[in-house]
Amino acid sequence: MVDGRRESMNPLSKRSLIVFTIVLIVVLLSTLIVYERVVRRVAAKDIVGVIDVRGYIIAEEDRDLYVKAVRLALENESVKAVVVRVDSGGGIAPFCEDVYLSLRKLAESKPMVVVIEGIAASGGFMIALASDYIYATPSSLVGNVGVIALAPVIVVPTEAILETGPYKYAAFSIREFPFTVRRILNNFLEIVEERRGEKLNVSITEVAEGKLYVGLRALELGLIDGIYSYPEAVARAAELAGVSRYEVVDLTRLVEESEPTNLGRSLWEGSKILSPQMLRRLSRSPMDVYLIPSFLINESELYGLRAWGFEESETPEINVTGRVVIDLSHKNAFFPLLMVEFLRRINANGVKFYLNTGNLTRILEMKPKSLVITTPYKEYTPSEVKAIREFVENGGKLLLMHDPGAYFPSYMNFISHEFGILFATGYLYNLDDNYGIYRNIPVRNFTRSELTKELREVVAFTCTAVYCHECEVLAITSNTTVLSILDVTGPHYFIVRKGDVLAIGDLTFLMDPFVVVADNSKLLDNIVEWLIED
C-alpha cells in the first residue's frame, strides 16, 4: 500500500482462488460420495455381498481386487453373507492360492456360497472350493484340476556373469523339477479332498486327470452341491445367514470404483487367450506355474511344433565308412548340445560319428556302420526310404527314436513301416506310477537281450507306444499305463527290435541330464554297443 489503502486483489489471483475452491469442493464431494457408497451403504442394513471372480488371475491387481473385496466383507458387520460368482479359467498359481486362502478365511467367519456361471477351471475351481456350498448352472464347466509348469532354463555359463552356485541362475534342477511340479499338484488335490470330503463320488486319481465336467456331471461326481442360478444362490446365502430383508451389494464393483485397472478381466472380456511370454513376465518368478487350462494359453507358443534348426545342405565330402551316421537333414529332433553323452560314448568305443545335413542317399552309399534317425519334421523321399531299406538289407543297423513331444509320427512311420514297425500317435501316461508327473513313465519289464542287460528300471520322458509285427519286444510298460487319444490301458511296447532295426518310443531319456536317471545310462551303453558292433 502506498497511500495507506489496501490494493484491490489482482483479477488473476482472484480467478485462481475461485478455481482452487471449486476443485477442493469437488474433491471433498467425491470423497463423501465414495464414503457413502463404500462404507455407509454397506453399514446401512443387512447385506448379502457379492464377490464377482470373473476372468484371469494373472496380475497383482487381479488378486488384490478379490482380496480387498474379501476384506471389505470381513470388516463390515452389515455384510451377513457372501455370494462368490465364478467365471474364471484361473491364472498364475500363487495369485489363485492367495484368493483361495482369503476366501477360506471369509467362509470361516460368514456364510459363503459359490455359484459357477460359465467356467471354473483349474485355479478358478480352486477358488470355488473355498466354500462349503458350491453351485453351478447346468452347462457350466467345472474342474480341470492340475498344473502347467514351464521347465527351468538350461544355463550356458559365461565369464561375463558369475554366479555362486549351480542353481543360482535357474533356481531349479531340470532333473528334479517334475517332483517340484508334483508337490504343487498334490497340494491342489489335497484341497479337493479336504474341501469335498465324503461328497466326492470320483477317485482322486481321476480328478488328477484334469478333465472338465459340465455342471450336471460335476454334481453327480460330487464336485459341486447343486444346480442353482445366481438369484437362487443369493437366496441360499441369505437363508444360511438367517436374514429375510436384505440388500445385494457387489463388493467387487465398490473396490473397482477406486481401483479400476484389472488386466485379467479386460483380457477375459476381450476373449483373449494368454501368451507364455506374458505369463512369464507377470509371474516374475523363476518357476512358472499356472493353474490355467492349456486351451486358454497360446498353443503355438506353449506346445508349438518345433522347427528344428538343421536344413539339408551340401557338406564337404567325408568318408563315413564304418561311422555312426546321425541324420539331421530332415529337421530331425536331435540336439547335439543335449546329446553329448550319447556322442561321447560312441567316441569312447573308438568309433567316429557323423552328423549328416547333406544328401542322405549318397552318405549311405559309403556304407556307414549304422544310421540313427530321430523324429523328422520333414518327409523323406521315396528314393531316400529305398536307400535306407537297402542299407539295412546289406547289413547296416538302423536306430529309430520317435519323441511324441517333438512332432507327429507320420514322417517317421513312412520309414519304419518298411520294416513292419509303427509308432503310435499320442503319448503314454500313468497317473499313479510315474517319475514326478503323469507322462514320465518308468519301464521295468524287460526281455532277456544284450540290449537289456543289467536293466531294472528305465524312465522315459513323454514317450509313445511302438507297434511291431513279428518282432522282438525288449521293453514293456506296466499294465496300468495309458496311451492317450485312444485311451487304451497297457501294457505297451516301448522298445522293439526286428533284425537290424531297433525302434524306441522316446528320445528325451538319452538327453542330458535325463540320461543319468534310473538305469537310462546303462541302456545308453547297451544301445551304443549294439550300434558299433560288427
Side-chain angles (χ1 to χ4, degrees), residues 203-489:
S203 71
I204 204 66
T205 299
E206 184 174 338
V207 171
E209 289 180 353
K211 291 179 181 176
L212 269 176
Y213 305 96
V214 296
L216 292 169
R217 180 59 176 159
L219 177 60
E220 293 173 357
L221 297 177
L223 296 174
I224 64 173
D225 298 294
I227 301 298
Y228 277 35
S229 65
Y230 166 62
E232 290 172 320
V234 171
R236 176 62 172 148
E239 177 188 350
L240 291 169
V243 296
S244 56
R245 296 174 62 84
Y246 56 87
E247 181 182 357
V248 178
V249 177
D250 189 335
L251 304 178
T252 324
R253 184 170 298 174
L254 294 180
V255 175
E256 280 184 309
E257 288 178 355
S258 58
E259 300 179 23
T261 303
N262 191 275
L263 177 62
R265 282 197 173 201
S266 61
L267 291 173
W268 185 263
E269 290 168 354
S271 300
K272 303 292 186 182
I273 60 174
L274 306 171
S275 79
Q277 288 77 12
M278 178 178 66
L279 289 171
R280 174 162 280 178
R281 185 175 66 253
L282 290 168
S283 71
R284 291 182 291 185
S285 168
M287 183 173 67
D288 299 289
V289 179
Y290 312 127
L291 304 180
I292 307 174
S294 62
F295 60 81
L296 293 177
I297 303 178
N298 191 318
E299 290 188 10
S300 64
E301 298 179 39
L302 185 62
Y303 299 119
L305 302 178
R306 306 170 190 173
W308 312 109
F310 297 98
E311 297 279 0
E312 183 175 1
S313 60
E314 291 299 322
T315 55
E317 196 70 34
I318 294 177
N319 185 0
V320 299
T321 302
R323 294 194 182 202
V324 175
V325 171
I326 301 164
D327 188 39
L328 305 179
S329 64
H330 294 73
K331 291 188 172 182
N332 303 75
F334 187 92
F335 304 91
L337 290 177
L338 298 180
M339 300 290 286
V340 172
E341 194 61 20
F342 176 58
L343 301 175
R344 182 190 72 80
R345 296 193 195 188
I346 293 174
N347 273 349
N349 283 274
V351 177
K352 294 182 179 180
F353 62 85
Y354 178 71
L355 303 179
N356 175 58
T357 59
N359 187 304
L360 179 60
T361 301
R362 189 167 67 242
I363 289 295
L364 293 179
E365 289 172 353
M366 300 181 195
K367 300 186 184 305
K369 186 179 290 289
S370 55
L371 172 65
V372 177
I373 298 178
T374 57
T375 305
Y377 187 68
K378 178 181 175 183
E379 187 175 7
Y380 285 77
T381 66
S383 61
E384 288 174 320
V385 174
K386 179 183 177 183
I388 294 169
R389 187 179 65 247
E390 291 176 349
F391 167 74
V392 173
E393 290 172 352
N394 291 326
K397 291 184 176 178
L398 174 62
L399 171 59
L400 302 174
M401 293 189 288
H402 170 60
D403 192 323
Y407 194 51
F408 300 110
S410 311
Y411 298 152
M412 179 66 93
N413 284 339
F414 193 49
I415 301 169
S416 65
H417 90 280
E418 292 285 331
F419 307 99
I421 298 171
L422 287 175
F423 293 91
T425 300
Y427 58 88
L428 298 176
Y429 69 87
N430 194 312
L431 292 167
D432 296 314
D433 183 15
N434 55 58
Y435 182 88
I437 65 169
Y438 75 115
R439 51 186 167 86
N440 293 343
I441 305 298
V443 180
R444 305 185 186 92
N445 301 319
F446 305 99
T447 59
R448 187 180 295 275
S449 165
E450 74 276 16
L451 280 159
T452 59
K453 63 184 179 183
E454 299 182 9
L455 298 184
R456 290 177 295 178
E457 178 181 87
V458 168
V459 177
F461 296 83
T462 309
C463 63
T464 193
V466 186
Y467 304 125
C468 187
H469 178 64
E470 295 182 350
C471 64
E472 180 185 4
V473 179
L474 300 177
I476 310 169
T477 70
S478 70
N479 57 12
T480 58
T481 303
V482 182
L483 175 62
S484 72
I485 299 181
L486 294 178
D487 280 338
V488 175
T489 302

Side-chain angles (χ1 to χ4, degrees), residues 20-76:
F20 174 77
T21 303
I22 292 172
V23 170
L24 181 61
I25 292 171
V26 169
V27 170
L28 289 172
L29 286 174
S30 299
T31 303
L32 288 172
I33 290 171
V34 171
Y35 179 80
E36 172 70 22
R37 298 191 67 178
V38 177
V39 180
R40 289 190 178 180
R41 181 181 174 187
V42 173
K45 60 179 73 173
D46 289 343
I47 284 173
V48 173
V50 176
I51 298 177
D52 188 8
V53 180
R54 178 162 39 89
Y56 302 113
I57 305 169
I58 55 174
E60 290 180 358
E61 60 260 30
D62 301 331
R63 174 199 60 195
D64 293 347
L65 171 64
Y66 306 121
V67 170
K68 289 178 180 179
V70 168
R71 188 182 306 136
L72 186 59
L74 284 170
E75 293 176 352
N76 287 273

Side-chain angles (χ1 to χ4, degrees), residues 3-16:
D3 57 358
R5 294 174 299 173
R6 291 187 178 180
E7 293 182 328
S8 60
M9 182 177 291
N10 187 300
L12 184 60
S13 299
K14 184 183 294 184
R15 189 178 300 112
S16 299

